[in-house]
Amino acid sequence: MSGIQLYNYDLDENCYRVRLALSMLGIACKTVAMNAFPGNEHKAPAFLAINPLGTLPVLKDEELTLFGAEAILCHLARAHGGDTGLLPAHGDAYAQVMQWLFFSAGELSVTVEARGNALLDQPGDAVALRAGARRVLRVMDDHMTARGHAGADWFVGEHATLADIALFPAFALSRDYGVDHDEYPALRRWGRRFRTLPGFLTMPGIPDYH
Amino acid sequence: MTFIQGWHPVALSVSIEPGSSAGTHIGGQELVVWRDNSGVAHVWEDRCPHRGMKLSFGFVRGDHIACLYHGWQYDIAGQCRYVPAHPNLEVPATIKVPVFRTVEAAGMIWTSADADAGSPAAAGTADETVPVRSLYVDCDADELIAALKADLPAPFKGKSTATIAQLGDDLFRVATGDDTLLLGLQRLEDERAALHIVIAGPAASYAGAGQAHFLAWATALRGRLEQPAMTWPAHQAEAV
């Protein structure tokens, strides 16, 4: 039994990013179910003692406690990823994976806000959030269109990396906040490829059948 | 221009892989574009007759598309053939999805609601095509065409100045240098349009660098359309 624990809420897409990585890396993990909605358990003092930001997910690995999906992905790939290549060690590929991970944690968070607003009663301007989400999804589609012309299948390099894992949920769940997949043909093709990766799993909002 | 008349492009052929589906619109009408496992493309009304769920959310198995809600399966004529909750049911012929004529030409999928429409203008325009992209823009289709005419691409090969010709209601040909582009215009809905862009020519000449050349032009065209040119305030311009 590994000493890995994930504080998880099934409907949280940042938790899903980590569940995807754990599954694709074949890492056994104990899950601590959080009542994030409607219970707001992640805002309660007991959880704030673990993560003062009051955000999910949190990963504990022996003595290490981490918040932030992207940092957790990096830790899992480096500490437990073996030779999967999910996190390139150096060179352009390392820098490009980092670029997309920071994009995931930064600009792409508008998609998390749009979904939180649409599904989980979180405050926000639905129209502005949806417009913002379309802008960042388009950045991804433009990138994958160009990658396709270069004969490449993935966001970075020759095989799937943490970049693909971090970016997939925002696209796959976009219908939750009213943005269809029609305008993103390159992401549709990439998403279909992503679903064939060993260890892929779905979450509510991402159909098992496709 | 209504969906009833003529032929309209709905996607680049490469964008709809065998065994996959996608939603789209013409004139505000919701359509599903899907390709069966044998490679034939279909365009239908995007609505399962059972509960109104979009069939574009569904899944393709063989030559059937199934609704994501309850798995009702439809054959390529739109006829419901199987209801999983009632496996022994002889499905009534009235449970049928409206289907539209669908052909592939010039590297695009074209559809028509008009049973008497002849061949699409795109038929026979190119033996081989290389896809550039589908360019989705938040503006009126006529505005998109006006911007296209004002901003034709530089050639990938050759030197001569670009010209544009309209070959059909929704089909344009751009000649630039030694290169030819075919552009299918899709009027999605009010203030939303798409251009499906291919290079007429062999992959050996255009795959990679040629595609990248015209991709950069197309994406810049979208940027200019959606973001009016930045103008410097007068006092700053003088200070430079």
Side-chain angles (χ1 to χ4, degrees):
Chain A
M1 181 67 201
S2 71
I4 297 183
Q5 267 191 332
L6 174 67
Y7 289 79
N8 177 63
Y9 177 54
D10 272 348
L11 296 185
D12 184 303
E13 69 193 272
N14 283 314
C15 294
Y16 173 56
R17 289 178 160 104
V18 175
R19 296 198 301 272
L20 269 173
L22 287 164
S23 176
M24 288 178 168
L25 290 167
I27 299 172
C29 157
K30 187 181 164 217
T31 299
V32 181
M34 299 290 292
N35 177 2
F37 182 82
N40 264 329
E41 198 179 353
H42 57 314
K43 305 294 185 190
F47 186 76
L48 293 178
I50 299 167
N51 173 12
L53 294 179
T55 57
L56 290 170
V58 161
L59 188 95
K60 285 189 178 179
D61 187 354
E62 307 293 349
E63 300 306 309
L64 178 69
T65 301
L66 283 174
F67 59 74
E70 290 75 14
I72 293 170
L73 294 187
C74 289
H75 168 69
L76 290 174
R78 183 56 33 93
H80 304 282
D83 56 0
T84 56
L86 283 181
L87 179 57
H90 46 69
D92 291 355
Y94 165 77
Q96 288 166 329
V97 168
M98 283 297 140
Q99 171 193 281
W100 288 113
L101 289 177
F102 279 93
F103 169 84
S104 169
E107 289 85 352
L108 195 61
S109 58
V110 67
T111 62
V112 178
E113 291 171 43
R115 187 167 165 276
N117 177 254
L119 293 190
L120 306 173
D121 275 0
Q122 289 167 12
D125 175 345
V127 173
L129 289 172
R130 204 156 44 232
R134 286 181 69 207
R135 273 196 298 277
V136 289
L137 289 172
R138 182 192 261 182
V139 168
M140 290 166 55
D141 189 69
D142 284 357
H143 176 73
M144 287 311 292
T145 303
R147 292 284 290 162
H149 294 342
D153 289 340
W154 305 103
F155 266 80
V156 176
E158 302 291 305
H159 49 74
T161 65
L162 292 185
D164 302 286
I165 295 175
L167 301 178
F168 176 78
F171 169 66
L173 293 166
S174 72
R175 288 159 166 171
D176 280 353
Y177 49 86
V179 174
D180 200 358
H181 293 171
D182 54 350
E183 292 189 1
Y184 313 108
L187 295 183
R188 290 202 306 266
R189 294 185 53 144
W190 164 73
R192 283 171 55 78
R193 272 194 297 278
F194 187 84
R195 295 184 63 117
T196 66
L197 291 173
F200 174 79
L201 42 81
T202 59
M203 68 167 274
I206 301 176
D208 291 331
Y209 298 102
H210 76 119
Chain B
M1 167 59 63
T2 67
F3 177 43
I4 303 299
Q5 303 161 327
W7 289 91
H8 312 279
V10 289
L12 290 178
S13 292
V14 292
S15 295
I16 309 293
E17 296 176 293
S20 76
S21 61
T24 191
H25 294 79
I26 295 176
Q29 180 170 354
E30 293 179 343
L31 303 171
V32 54
V33 189
W34 65 283
R35 192 184 293 284
D36 63 40
N37 283 352
S38 72
V40 179
H42 309 273
V43 180
W44 294 3
E45 186 175 289
D46 194 8
R47 184 179 181 282
C48 178
H50 179 216
R51 292 287 179 194
M53 178 64 175
K54 287 185 176 193
L55 285 168
S56 55
F57 284 39
F59 49 97
V60 178
R61 296 289 183 269
D63 62 354
H64 287 189
I65 187 168
C67 179
L68 188 63
Y69 264 14
H70 305 98
W72 288 27
Q73 290 188 14
Y74 299 88
D75 70 14
I76 56 173
Q79 175 65 49
C80 184
R81 290 293 177 194
Y82 184 63
V83 175
H86 301 280
N88 299 319
L89 178 74
E90 185 78 18
V91 182
T94 49
I95 303 179
K96 195 170 186 302
V97 184
V99 304
F100 303 111
R101 294 175 66 197
T102 304
V103 300
E104 295 195 62
M108 303 172 210
I109 299 173
W110 298 79
T111 194
S112 177
D114 179 1
D116 298 322
S119 299
T125 48
D127 293 334
E128 288 180 87
T129 60
V130 181
V132 176
R133 74 169 306 163
S134 291
L135 189 74
Y136 292 88
V137 184
D138 286 340
C139 75
D140 179 74
D142 295 326
E143 203 182 323
L144 172 54
I145 292 305
L148 166 68
K149 288 177 174 172
D151 186 19
L152 296 174
F156 177 62
K157 295 176 179 179
K159 287 197 166 58
S160 63
T161 310
T163 58
I164 183 166
Q166 185 160 4
L167 305 185
D169 286 335
D170 294 340
L171 180 67
F172 297 83
R173 181 175 58 208
V174 168
T176 179
D178 299 341
D179 312 320
T180 300
L181 298 182
L182 293 167
L183 305 97
L185 174 67
Q186 184 178 1
R187 299 165 189 270
L188 292 154
E189 52 200 343
D190 288 347
E191 298 300 312
R192 209 157 74 89
L195 267 184
H196 305 286
I197 307 169
V198 302
I199 307 164
S205 303
Y206 291 105
Q211 288 174 298
H213 172 82
F214 290 112
L215 174 65
W217 160 76
T219 307
L221 172 68
R222 182 188 67 195
R224 278 189 286 278
L225 254 168
E226 292 184 350
Q227 298 173 355
M230 295 259 283
T231 47
W232 286 48
H235 66 278
Q236 284 189 19
E238 284 166 13
V240 169

